[in-house]
């Protein structure tokens, strides 16, 4: 078991049981739920539903990361997410993560009550975000991405190359290792074959020495294998969650909390038996 230290004196114990991070996109254009939760009352209702279904963390994002999505200004991103983060943190029923690569947005989000900073650019777009995490004591999710650069041919070698650079940035900023979780960034500039290869070899990432978070929810991999409906994509997501749990993932970032919670209960039971035996 590993203790993940977070902002505001909070922590999570990782390893014994799967932890679920519910996705809350307060955007008009996210690939799965764009426009569904862009009004505060609807966003909070969805967050509370996911908490009731077992989400330990709510991950709040104000800018779509789907391929081809238009950029928004920092002010627009902040106006979307900060009232939601403040309301959720004051409620106290779950931990709150902010999905941003912007240093100033991260700073304001933690001040509003967020416990975790989730950077899909792995600290490499705005490296000052690492200093924000260090100064605020926030937990940090560092994600791998292949966007905007040349990748190595081997998917695992590219993971190590990119993530080790991100970890250098984190350590230079003074972030302790016990505040860091890594995310291999399924579908971020990875085609179907690369995603399958990454899943098959996922256990190799444990050599990096950090807890692992995965976000396969409703992405192209699930759509390709089981169809395009939300129901089909949620079934596909749950299948990938089980596979990745058995290979060592600790946290699962998902749209449908209940389906993944039930699937992961089986994976946890198998892991417990393996440990006992």
């Amino acid at each position: 078991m590993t203790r993940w230290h977070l902002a505001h004196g909070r922590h999570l114990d990782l390893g014994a049981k799967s932890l679920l991070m519910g996705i809350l996109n307060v955007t008009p254009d996210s690939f799965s739920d764009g426009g569904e939760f862009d009004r505060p009352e609807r966003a909070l209702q969805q967050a509370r539903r996911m908490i009731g279904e077992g989400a330990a963390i709510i991950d709040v994002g104000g800018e779509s990361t789907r391929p081809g999505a238009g950029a928004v200004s920092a002010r627009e991103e902040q106006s979307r997410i900060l009232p939601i983060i403040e309301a959720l943190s004051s409620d106290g029923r779950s931990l709150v993560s902010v999905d941003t690569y912007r240093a100033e947005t991260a700073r304001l989000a933690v001040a509003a009550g967020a416990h975790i900073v989730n950077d899909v650019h792995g600290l490499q777009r705005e490296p000052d975000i690492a200093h924000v995490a260090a100064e605020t004591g926030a937990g940090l999710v560092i994600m791998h991405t292949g966007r905007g650069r040349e990748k190595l041919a081997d998917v695992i070698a590219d993971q190590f190359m990119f993530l080790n650079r991100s970890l250098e940035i984190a350590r230079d900023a003074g972030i302790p290792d016990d505040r860091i979780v890594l995310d291999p960034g399924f579908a971020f500039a990875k085609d179907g074959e690369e995603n399958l290869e990454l899943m098959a070899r996922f256990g190799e990432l444990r050599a990096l020495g950090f807890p692992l978070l995965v976000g396969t929810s409703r992405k192209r991999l699930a759509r390709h294998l089981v169809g395009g409906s939300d129901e089909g994509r949620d079934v596909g997501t749950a299948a990938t969650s089980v596979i990745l749990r058995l290979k060592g993932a600790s946290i699962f970032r998902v749209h449908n909390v209940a389906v993944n919670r039930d699937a992961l209960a089986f994976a946890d039971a198998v892991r417990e038996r393996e440990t006992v035996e």
Side-chain angles (χ1 to χ4, degrees):
M1 186 172 66
T2 300
R3 178 155 289 184
W4 187 22
H5 291 273
L6 313 174
H8 311 299
R10 302 291 297 273
H11 69 267
L12 281 169
D13 290 326
L14 308 177
K17 295 290 183 183
S18 305
L19 288 178
L20 290 154
M21 173 186 276
I23 298 169
L24 186 64
N25 291 317
V26 289
T27 61
D29 58 346
S30 292
F31 79 92
S32 176
D33 53 4
E36 292 187 29
F37 310 117
D38 56 351
R39 289 188 297 178
E41 63 275 15
R42 294 172 67 183
L44 291 171
Q45 182 181 34
Q46 171 68 357
R48 289 166 183 147
R49 184 181 70 81
M50 291 191 290
I51 293 165
E53 291 175 346
I57 308 164
I58 301 298
D59 189 44
V60 184
E63 179 175 349
S64 175
T65 57
R66 66 174 175 81
V72 301
S73 68
R75 180 174 295 182
E76 176 65 20
E77 178 192 36
Q78 293 157 16
S79 71
R80 291 174 178 177
I81 66 173
L82 293 178
I84 305 301
I85 290 171
E86 187 172 359
L88 288 173
S89 61
S90 65
D91 183 82
R93 295 177 59 200
S94 73
L95 296 166
V96 181
S97 170
V98 58
D99 180 359
T100 188
Y101 59 84
R102 292 187 174 96
E104 185 59 20
T105 298
R107 187 184 305 279
L108 292 171
V110 177
H115 307 89
I116 298 161
V117 173
N118 178 15
D119 182 1
V120 300
H121 288 276
L123 313 180
Q124 297 189 38
R125 181 159 173 173
E126 287 197 17
D128 195 46
I129 198 170
H131 293 282
V132 172
E135 292 162 10
T136 62
L140 182 63
V141 178
I142 297 173
M143 198 193 82
H144 174 282
T145 182
R147 292 181 182 175
R149 64 180 180 85
E150 291 293 324
K151 298 184 298 181
L152 299 180
D154 183 88
V155 294
I156 299 299
D158 195 73
Q159 290 278 328
F160 276 75
M161 182 270 292
F162 182 91
L163 291 172
N164 278 322
R165 172 59 187 141
S166 295
L167 289 167
E168 286 179 12
I169 295 169
R171 286 164 176 156
D172 287 347
I175 301 171
D177 286 358
D178 63 8
R179 294 190 181 273
I180 297 172
V181 165
L182 302 180
D183 176 354
F186 282 97
F188 277 75
K190 301 172 184 71
D191 63 24
E193 288 302 314
E194 289 172 312
N195 284 313
L196 286 172
E197 179 77 5
L198 179 56
M199 191 174 301
R201 298 174 60 190
F202 185 82
E204 296 177 43
L205 299 179
R206 295 166 69 180
L208 287 162
F210 290 87
L212 298 167
L213 177 152
V214 292
T216 60
S217 188
R218 297 182 180 175
K219 289 182 177 176
R220 185 175 299 173
L221 174 63
R223 295 202 307 270
H224 175 69
L225 293 177
V226 297
S229 69
D230 278 355
E231 182 178 359
R233 288 182 292 171
D234 286 339
V235 170
T237 299
T240 64
S241 293
V242 169
I243 292 167
L244 293 167
R245 176 59 174 157
L246 295 176
K247 289 178 176 286
S250 296
I251 306 172
F252 300 82
R253 184 178 180 274
V254 298
H255 296 86
N256 189 321
V257 172
V259 168
N260 286 274
R261 175 200 65 204
D262 293 347
L264 285 164
F266 286 94
D268 284 344
V270 170
R271 280 174 55 92
E272 183 178 7
R273 179 172 290 273
E274 289 175 340
T275 301
V276 169
E277 293 178 350

